[in-house]
Amino acid sequence: MLYTLAILPIFASIAATQETVHGAVIFSRHGARTWKSDPPTRLLNYGQNQLYQSGQYWRERYLNATSAHQISGINEDVYTAKQLYASSPDQPVLVTSGQAFLQGLYPPNSSITEKLTDGKNVEAPLSGFQYAQLHTVSDDSSESLWLKGDDSCPAYENAAGRSLKNSSYKDLQKSTKDFYMKFYDSIFAGVVPESQVNYNNAYSLFDYINVGLPYNETIDKAVSSSDLKQLRILADSHEFSQSGAVDMSDSFNPLAVSGRTLSRKIMNQMDTVISSAGQKHKISLLMGSYDTFLAFFGLSGLSAISDDFTGLPNYAATMAFELISFGVSTEVFPNEKDLFVRFLFRNGTESGGAIEYPLFGTGREGAVLPWYKFQEKMNEISIKSTAEWCSFCNSDAQFCQVFNTNVAAASTAGHHWTGPLSPAVAGGVGALSALSFFGLALIGAAMFGIRLRKSPAVPAKEYAESV
């Protein structure tokens, strides 16, 4: 509270001052895809359009010359390599999603031509298609941990496994058994073993129904709108307990590891903007998965201020971190003391525009943080190096072998952490386990703080396509 009061005069003085955006880091979830548990998973046409539309949305904000948030000095119409950094794990759904986003960010431009000596102008294929570079990172590269920090991390796997042994979790698994089994004969028989049709697989079961609903008549007839909402509530609660059940003081909890590594990657990209005086990486696009969103939501205090951050982010959801200044000359890059960071979240392409939220419990005024304060808070929660990640995770990944000595001496920050579920999650699961099935649909969302949709009256099929 003292910090929030201290920064109030700052925001009072800059509220009416013209702002300049110097750079933006965007972290995006992939679009709608085929069932995750039946590889090879591929991005659906619907998902491609979601990411394309997302790219268009952020183009309007950051590249359009008429936008109040156009990034200073950015080339509005032509892809310029040094101004963009885009990276994705080398996984088909994420790579394709990144490509679709970049198509929306840099659409074809037929005016970009090359003139030959004979006077003929040559344009790129597909009416001037722009080939923006997307860096792909293989699973065996140390660079992979910054976007998927919980992969190949035994400490995370152990912590997630311990949460499944909690008595409240087991009670909830038992109380929801009949609900899941009512779908077995009509939907899951021959697809999912009967022994696995339970809360332990809440996300996979929801995912199968959610993905199939728009295309499969059998699923469409067997699952009502209320059934789908209940499946979503249970999937949200399960995945939140696996990745999001952390807070700002809980950064050593292995469940938070992907949020910690993403925090470092975001800082690295923003540092590049600053060190190059705004000339490099004006826009950074980072592709990732919902578990990383959830971990960052918890670490940054977002899940404590809004129920938007306690459930699965929708397909094509994006977080944006803007580096901005107020009332200083745009001809000279500002000093660090004059820089601020704004955080925005857009929950998919059907949820309207991006909304500002405060980070790190600073109150509403903290939606824009002084750069030094943002840097301080991000450094507190982030993993700083590959060696630190290898030790924290006790990982045997190939790129960790050089740090074997450190891994063997891993401290309590790694796989030895044995803390319980956070009070909010443990309390919510415990209360839910005592409820009848009919009470779950009404009370589950309140207990877990889950907002299913901005508009509750959306038909079941449309709802399915949006998450």
Side-chain angles (χ1 to χ4, degrees), residues 51-255:
L51 268 295
Y52 178 77
Q53 292 163 10
S54 183
Q56 288 181 313
Y57 174 84
W58 292 107
R59 171 180 172 78
E60 285 299 308
R61 184 175 179 90
Y62 294 137
L63 279 76
N64 193 325
T66 63
S67 170
H69 306 285
Q70 185 192 34
I71 295 176
S72 177
I74 199 163
N75 195 320
E76 178 185 3
D77 296 312
V78 181
Y79 161 67
T80 305
K82 73 175 183 178
Q83 295 185 352
L84 171 76
Y85 175 87
S87 181
S88 168
D90 191 14
Q91 299 173 10
V93 170
L94 290 172
V95 172
T96 309
S97 292
Q99 291 171 331
F101 184 103
L102 292 175
Q103 289 172 1
L105 192 66
Y106 292 101
N109 187 340
S110 60
S111 67
I112 305 173
T113 60
E114 298 171 352
K115 190 171 184 177
L116 305 182
T117 56
D118 62 3
K120 182 179 179 181
N121 289 319
V122 180
E123 68 176 37
L126 303 174
S127 301
F129 187 88
Q130 301 195 67
Y131 296 87
Q133 183 177 7
L134 177 66
H135 300 268
T136 57
V137 184
S138 65
D139 292 342
D140 59 2
S141 167
S142 61
E143 288 298 307
S144 65
L145 67 89
W146 305 115
L147 298 179
K148 297 278 287 183
D150 51 7
D151 284 2
S152 301
C153 181
Y156 167 80
E157 294 166 3
N158 291 341
R162 281 192 295 272
S163 72
L164 305 183
K165 299 176 182 179
N166 183 282
S167 60
S168 297
Y169 180 98
K170 292 181 178 179
D171 289 342
L172 183 57
Q173 185 176 26
K174 182 178 179 180
S175 67
T176 58
K177 178 66 175 178
D178 289 343
F179 170 66
Y180 283 112
M181 284 305 299
K182 78 174 187 175
F183 303 111
Y184 180 74
D185 289 336
S186 59
I187 296 177
F188 295 126
V191 179
V192 181
E194 184 174 352
S195 61
Q196 295 181 21
V197 181
N198 54 54
Y199 180 70
N200 196 48
N201 295 298
Y203 179 76
S204 183
L205 299 177
F206 162 73
D207 190 38
Y208 181 78
I209 289 176
N210 184 45
V211 168
L213 194 59
Y215 307 99
N216 187 307
E217 289 188 9
T218 300
I219 295 177
D220 187 41
K221 292 178 180 178
V223 179
S224 68
S225 176
S226 61
D227 285 337
L228 187 62
K229 289 182 179 181
Q230 180 65 12
L231 287 161
R232 172 67 187 264
I233 288 172
L234 294 170
D236 279 347
S237 69
H238 186 280
E239 297 309 296
F240 185 71
S241 73
Q242 297 285 287
S243 297
V246 295
D247 57 40
M248 292 183 291
S249 63
D250 207 17
S251 62
F252 287 115
N253 184 334
L255 294 178

Side-chain angles (χ1 to χ4, degrees), residues 392-414:
F392 182 87
C393 286
N394 194 25
S395 177
D396 60 359
Q398 184 175 359
F399 56 79
C400 285
Q401 298 310 306
V402 68
F403 308 115
N404 266 347
T405 301
N406 291 336
V407 171
S411 69
T412 56

Side-chain angles (χ1 to χ4, degrees), residues 356-376:
E356 296 180 27
Y357 290 92
L359 295 174
F360 305 113
T362 56
R364 186 63 212 173
E365 294 78 13
V368 177
L369 275 175
W371 163 251
Y372 79 87
K373 180 57 66 174
F374 177 79
Q375 186 179 43
E376 173 188 304

Side-chain angles (χ1 to χ4, degrees), residues 426-459:
V429 172
L432 274 175
S433 67
L435 297 173
S436 66
F437 158 69
F438 296 103
L440 278 169
L442 294 176
I443 300 177
M447 296 305 301
F448 288 100
I450 296 164
R451 179 174 297 167
L452 293 172
R453 290 277 295 181
K454 298 296 182 184
S455 171
V458 179

Side-chain angles (χ1 to χ4, degrees), residues 260-271:
R260 296 187 67 196
T261 56
L262 176 66
S263 297
R264 174 50 47 189
K265 183 66 174 180
I266 291 167
M267 289 299 296
N268 288 347
Q269 296 310 116
M270 300 189 92
D271 283 339

